[in-house]
Amino acid sequence: MRILDGAIFIADAHENAKRSQFLKLIKSFNSGALPLPPQIFLVGDIFDFLSSTSYTQIFYQEWIEELNLLAKKSEIHYFEGNHDFNLSSVFNQITIYPLSSQPVIFNLNNKKVAIAHGDIYLGFFTQTSLKMLRNSTFLKIMNFIDWIFQFKITKKILSSQENKELSYKIPKFKELIAKKIDNYKSDMVIEGHYHQGCEFKINGKDYINLPCFASERSYFIVEYADEIKFQLIRSPNV
C-alpha cells in the first residue's frame, strides 16, 4: 500500500460533547468547503470513547455518519487506539486496523513506513490490560450491564473525559521511544498516542509523533515535491 501525495494524518482528536473540531473538519471535506484529500489516516483516539457498544454509537451518531460519507469519497485508514476500538461494525466504508494488526507497513517513495496508534510494544501488564479492554465478549457483557443501568457507565466515562488535560510534554520522550523503536521493521515510524507532535531520527529510523489534534488543531499532510516531506497544517476554524 502506498501513501499518496496530499494524504493527511490525524491523531488524538478526543472528540466529545465539548470538542468537535474534528467533526467540523470532516464536514468541511464532505461539503467541499475544503479540498478533499485522496487519503486520510486516522491514527487512533479520534473519539474519547467509541466502540461496538450501544450508547457510544448513539452519542457519536453524527460523527459516524459523516465519516462513512467521507469514506465514499476519500480512502480512509483507521488505526484503533485505546479510546476507540472494535470499530469494524461501526464504520462499514473504512479500512480498520485493530491493535492486533498494528503496525501496518505502507510505502513512501521506496521507504517502508510503519504506522500504529502507539500503544504497542509496551510492558506485559499494560498490553494485557489493553487486549482485555478490546475483547468482544467483555464488551458485550459490559454493554448489557450498561443497558440495565440506562447507560450510566458509558455516560460517566464520557463526562469524565470532557475536561481532561491533553497538552503536555513527556520527559525524556526520545529515550522512551528508543526502548521500542527496533521492534518496527521499517525506515520510518508514524505514531499518535503520546500527544508530543515531534520528529527525530533514532536508531537509523525517522520517527514522527503526530500532534494531539484535540489541543493543537493540527495534522500532517504529505507533499511530493523535490523530496517527500510531512508538513504540519493547522486546521481551519470551519
Side-chain angles (χ1 to χ4, degrees):
M1 293 179 287
R2 183 168 177 262
I3 298 174
L4 302 177
D5 183 21
I8 67 171
F9 286 76
I10 299 173
D12 300 286
H14 290 276
E15 296 279 284
N16 60 32
K18 293 186 177 180
R19 286 190 292 265
S20 59
Q21 189 67 26
F22 174 75
L23 177 61
K24 292 177 182 177
L25 180 65
I26 58 177
K27 278 186 169 183
S28 297
F29 289 142
N30 276 327
S31 68
L34 290 176
L36 187 69
Q39 277 179 323
I40 301 172
F41 291 84
L42 303 177
V43 194
D45 288 0
I46 301 302
F47 303 91
D48 259 345
F49 178 34
L50 177 61
S51 188
S52 53
T53 53
S54 301
Y55 185 75
T56 60
Q57 294 180 55
I58 296 170
F59 186 86
Y60 288 114
Q61 182 180 354
E62 187 175 8
W63 284 261
I64 293 168
E65 290 175 352
E66 288 290 337
L67 269 175
N68 278 325
L69 176 61
L70 184 57
K72 295 178 180 179
K73 309 171 187 179
S74 183
E75 180 183 310
I76 301 181
H77 298 271
Y78 199 127
F79 297 78
E80 293 183 348
N82 49 297
H83 285 257
D84 41 8
F85 40 83
N86 287 33
L87 299 178
S88 58
S89 62
V90 179
F91 297 113
N92 50 34
Q93 302 287 333
I94 295 173
T95 303
I96 304 293
Y97 303 101
L99 177 72
S100 58
S101 299
Q102 299 178 34
V104 182
I105 303 297
F106 283 78
N107 294 315
L108 180 67
N109 227 25
N110 298 319
K111 286 188 175 183
K112 291 183 178 180
V113 182
I115 305 174
H117 174 59
D119 56 338
I120 56 176
Y121 307 131
L122 304 175
F124 174 78
F125 177 78
T126 303
Q127 284 297 150
T128 302
S129 299
L130 290 171
K131 286 181 180 179
M132 181 179 175
L133 185 66
R134 293 167 166 91
N135 182 273
S136 58
T137 302
F138 172 76
L139 286 171
K140 287 178 182 177
I141 294 170
M142 292 307 298
N143 190 48
F144 179 68
I145 295 172
D146 199 26
W147 174 77
I148 291 174
F149 289 100
Q150 299 181 313
F151 304 116
K152 288 182 179 179
I153 299 172
T154 299
K155 290 176 181 178
K156 179 65 175 177
I157 293 172
L158 286 168
S159 64
S160 70
Q161 297 293 312
E162 287 182 0
N163 298 308
K164 186 177 180 180
E165 178 58 49
L166 298 171
S167 181
Y168 50 81
K169 290 300 177 184
I170 298 176
K172 298 182 180 179
F173 179 63
K174 192 170 183 178
E175 286 85 343
L176 172 67
I177 297 304
K179 294 177 181 178
K180 70 172 191 174
I181 195 72
D182 289 336
N183 291 293
Y184 288 99
K185 308 306 178 185
S186 60
D187 305 299
M188 178 182 291
V189 176
I190 299 176
E191 292 185 322
H193 186 57
Y194 296 105
H195 300 195
Q196 298 304 286
C198 61
E199 302 176 64
F200 48 78
K201 200 171 187 71
I202 184 168
N203 293 10
K205 301 180 191 294
D206 293 310
Y207 178 83
I208 294 177
N209 186 248
L210 297 168
C212 174
F213 187 87
S215 57
E216 302 295 332
R217 304 291 191 269
S218 299
Y219 55 87
F220 274 90
I221 183 168
V222 179
E223 292 188 346
Y224 281 73
D226 295 332
E227 61 177 351
I228 304 297
K229 62 180 180 179
F230 289 79
Q231 183 176 347
L232 186 63
I233 301 293
R234 186 166 178 82
S235 174
N237 187 22
V238 289

